[in-house]
Amino acid sequence: MLIETHSAGGLDRVPDRLPGVVGADLTVPLVTGRRVPYANLDYAASTPCLTEVHRAVDRLLPWYSSVHRGAGFPSQTSTRTYERARDAVRRFVGAAPDATVLFTRNTTDALNLVGRALPEGTTVFRFATDHHAALLPWRGSRVCGLGVPAGPADAVRLLAKALGDAPQGPKLVVISGASNVTGELWPVAELAEVAAGHGARTVLDAAQLAAHRPMDIAGWGVDWVALSGHKMYAPFGSGALVGAADWLADAAPYLAGGGATARVTEVADQASVTWAGLPHRHEAGSPNVVGAHAMAVACDTLTTAGWDAITGHEQALAARLREGLARIPGIRILRLWDDERPGLGVVSFSVARIGHDTADQRLVASALSAEHGIGIRDGAFCAHPAVRALLAEAGGHDPDRALRASIGLGSTAEHIDRLLAALQDLVRHGPRWTYGHPSDGWAPVPDPRTLPEFLH
């Protein structure tokens, strides 16, 4: 068994063969005055740092210096570290050996870079269920909305029809690897095959997918993939765009500045610029060598751990969570499709009532934190159209807000069981503490908890 549950009064533990995370032993204060181990069930928003990544960053920091053009030995070391990180990310996503790797701030940054590199007249195809990072960068282009598909096969059918009806010119299909709302997996290879058959290019939003499933963008036929370090246990401000060079090499630099230039001269008080080639063309400014190194180490650590162990751990916990939620009256689990294939450990749901009152989802999340030491997410998860559609179908009381629990390497069965017990108690009796300020988000009143010492 991947999940070990000890006797009553004990806690289960994460399997030893899985990478450790910083903060696994963190305790948090409750409004009652107690401290409890933190139950982090918000991995879909940001993952904690891998302990191996933490160690690797500590080893690099004494050698940290300017990247590129520095003559000092630490500069040469930092430059070598930065450039080697490209190879690790390229291998991790399964890209071709000659694929371009551009370091960005995050997935949103990477997808906006693609948006800036589109040839004139490009038509962009995307589904209404996408995260805002994949939904919004194409506003200045011709956008073909594909709506909400009834299932994976319907997604492929809708795309094929839209591409068949599309005007002449360049085409880009935006694919989400996994829903950040429901954890359901999209038919990436099938969508990419249909796109290629109609002469369209593809970009994969792998923000949710990258830390939970192996990727093979060359085998899938995907042109570009965007991903974030902070979603894959490397929270040091780095992301990446990996893929074909042509559109990127032909585009004006994403940012104008140092590092993106080959030569700058003054001609009649105007700067005349010869821009650098890839990858430096789109990496103006001082590179985030620490973030790139952290991301590379995370890539290698996850691969070494083995995807069977990672997915087995997460799927067992996700099944435990879904089964438990289904037994609590008034809780509705949100799903895009009736497809029963296992997805990621991301479960969104709505709570109808707490005690005798209609549930405010924000109050539920606040009470879980303040009274039980559990962290989940409330809101529309930067996927507003998708959440609204799902809540309308599920009959949620609040048409714009749901709850989301998400699982990762540091999650345990005790975290799941504590969440289920707390939700059961909230549904039956309501919060045990008083809360105020609903217009700004519910907060305990009074709130005796104190912030960590480093914030004082």
Side-chain angles (χ1 to χ4, degrees):
M1 288 290 289
L2 288 173
I3 307 301
E4 296 185 18
T5 302
H6 295 275
S7 59
L11 298 178
D12 68 323
R13 62 182 179 85
V14 175
D16 292 337
R17 59 182 170 277
L18 291 181
V21 297
V22 176
D25 57 353
L26 180 69
T27 64
V28 293
L30 304 183
V31 288
T32 59
R34 297 174 54 223
R35 294 188 71 92
V36 296
Y38 179 52
N40 181 3
L41 292 172
D42 196 19
Y43 278 73
S46 286
T47 53
C49 183
L50 288 175
T51 52
E52 184 55 41
V53 169
H54 185 200
R55 286 193 289 264
V57 167
D58 282 349
R59 289 193 293 268
L60 171 64
L61 286 179
W63 295 94
Y64 172 79
S65 190
S66 61
V67 175
H68 303 137
R69 299 172 301 281
F73 196 78
S75 287
Q76 295 177 38
T77 300
S78 289
T79 297
R80 180 68 64 87
T81 299
Y82 186 72
E83 292 303 330
R84 285 180 61 180
R86 297 190 203 274
D87 296 331
V89 174
R90 187 184 293 111
R91 290 192 304 269
F92 182 75
V93 301
D98 61 347
T100 294
V101 178
L102 302 178
F103 284 115
T104 63
R105 291 175 295 175
N106 46 47
T107 305
T108 300
D109 198 32
L111 291 171
N112 274 272
L113 195 164
V114 176
R116 289 281 294 275
L118 297 181
E120 186 176 353
T122 299
T123 302
V124 178
F125 302 80
R126 54 40 166 193
F127 291 93
T129 48
D130 289 341
H131 187 281
H132 294 169
L135 199 68
L136 300 179
W138 334 105
R139 288 170 294 176
S141 309
R142 294 187 293 189
V143 176
C144 177
L146 301 173
V148 180
D154 189 47
V156 175
R157 182 189 64 78
L158 288 172
L159 177 61
K161 183 179 187 308
L163 287 169
D165 296 339
Q168 293 295 315
K171 305 175 185 66
L172 177 72
V173 176
V174 184
I175 304 172
S176 290
S179 170
N180 78 304
V181 179
T182 66
E184 289 163 287
L185 298 172
W186 283 70
V188 175
E190 292 87 343
L191 291 168
E193 182 179 12
V194 167
H198 288 83
R201 312 296 289 275
T202 48
V203 59
L204 173 66
D205 173 0
Q208 290 299 324
L209 189 67
H212 307 283
R213 292 291 190 281
M215 288 188 290
D216 181 16
I217 67 165
W220 295 340
V222 169
D223 292 284
W224 295 281
V225 60
L227 62 163
S228 287
H230 81 101
K231 302 281 191 185
M232 49 186 291
Y233 306 97
F236 290 88
S238 187
L241 177 70
V242 186
D246 51 356
W247 284 9
L248 300 172
D250 293 338
Y254 180 49
L255 296 174
T261 59
R263 181 178 176 81
V264 180
T265 58
E266 286 285 337
V267 179
D269 297 326
Q270 295 292 321
S272 176
V273 182
T274 302
W275 298 109
L278 295 177
H280 309 298
R281 185 183 191 88
H282 296 295
E283 291 184 351
S286 295
N288 180 4
V289 60
V290 174
H293 181 54
M295 195 169 177
V297 173
C299 289
D300 290 342
T301 302
L302 291 170
T303 301
T304 300
W307 291 106
D308 287 344
I310 293 171
T311 58
H313 171 71
E314 294 177 358
Q315 285 182 3
L317 292 177
R320 190 186 194 107
L321 174 58
R322 291 190 180 97
E323 291 167 5
L325 290 174
R327 292 194 292 266
I328 301 176
I331 287 186
R332 296 288 299 272
I333 297 176
L334 305 182
R335 289 188 65 86
L336 288 169
W337 309 316
D338 293 330
D339 184 23
E340 293 300 322
R341 288 180 294 181
L344 306 186
V346 179
V347 183
S348 290
F349 57 97
S350 64
V351 178
R353 301 188 69 80
I354 51 176
H356 299 294
D357 301 319
T358 300
D360 184 319
Q361 310 305 302
R362 297 173 302 169
L363 177 56
V364 173
S366 294
L368 289 172
S369 174
E371 300 178 33
H372 303 278
I374 300 167
I376 66 169
R377 184 56 58 104
D378 72 278
F381 321 129
C382 295
H384 294 179
V387 170
R388 289 194 190 105
L390 291 169
L391 287 171
E393 183 178 341
H397 171 72
D398 187 337
D400 298 312
R401 192 172 291 273
L403 299 166
R404 183 184 69 189
S406 48
I407 291 162
L409 290 175
S411 303
T412 69
E414 190 276 332
H415 296 163
I416 302 300
D417 294 345
R418 197 192 321 170
L419 172 63
L420 295 172
L423 285 169
Q424 183 78 59
D425 188 67
L426 279 167
V427 167
R428 287 179 177 174
H429 306 291
R432 305 287 187 167
W433 202 260
T434 55
Y435 294 82
H437 317 296
S439 62
D440 300 323
W442 295 93
V445 180
D447 189 349
R449 298 172 298 172
T450 59
L451 293 171
E453 289 184 2
F454 69 84
L455 288 175
H456 293 171

